[in-house]
Amino acid sequence: MYVVLTRWTAHHMSHPHFHPNDRYITVISGTWWVGTGTKYESGQHIPQPPGSVVTHFGKQVTMTALRTRTSRSKFVGEGPATQTAAEVH
C-alpha cells in the first residue's frame, strides 16, 4: 500500500497510460483535469475540483492535464505502481 502527495504544475499533460492496480486519487487543491481513452484530445478532460475523489481502475487507460494553475492530489494504491503507455490511435 502506498500514499503519494503530488503537486502538478500548470500546463502539465500526460499521454494515455494505465497502471496495473487500482488507484484512488483525492484532489486537495486546484482543478485536476482527467480523461479516459487511448486517443489524446484535450477537450475530453473533465475538471475535478478540490474534494473530488477519482478512481483509476487497474488497466483502465487514463490521461491527465492541468490548465493554468497548479494542483495537489493524494494518490492511494497498492504497488508496484508502474506505468504503461497505452497504444495511441
Side-chain angles (χ1 to χ4, degrees):
M1 189 67 109
Y2 64 85
V3 176
V4 176
L5 296 174
T6 303
R7 179 179 177 267
W8 303 97
T9 57
H11 309 295
H12 165 86
M13 288 184 245
S14 72
H15 294 283
H17 66 280
F18 64 89
H19 302 273
N21 303 319
D22 296 348
R23 305 172 77 189
Y24 306 94
I25 303 105
T26 303
V27 180
I28 298 169
S29 66
T31 300
W32 190 50
W33 297 75
V34 179
T36 59
T38 57
K39 185 174 181 180
Y40 184 87
E41 294 180 26
S42 63
Q44 74 183 25
H45 290 87
I46 299 168
Q48 305 297 319
S52 297
V53 177
V54 177
T55 302
H56 285 173
F57 294 104
K59 300 182 180 89
Q60 176 188 24
V61 178
T62 63
M63 63 195 94
T64 62
L66 271 292
R67 302 287 164 103
T68 58
R69 295 185 169 188
T70 60
S71 177
R72 288 186 169 84
S73 302
K74 176 180 77 173
F75 289 74
V76 177
E78 186 177 335
T82 59
Q83 176 175 314
T84 304
E87 184 178 334
V88 179
H89 300 285

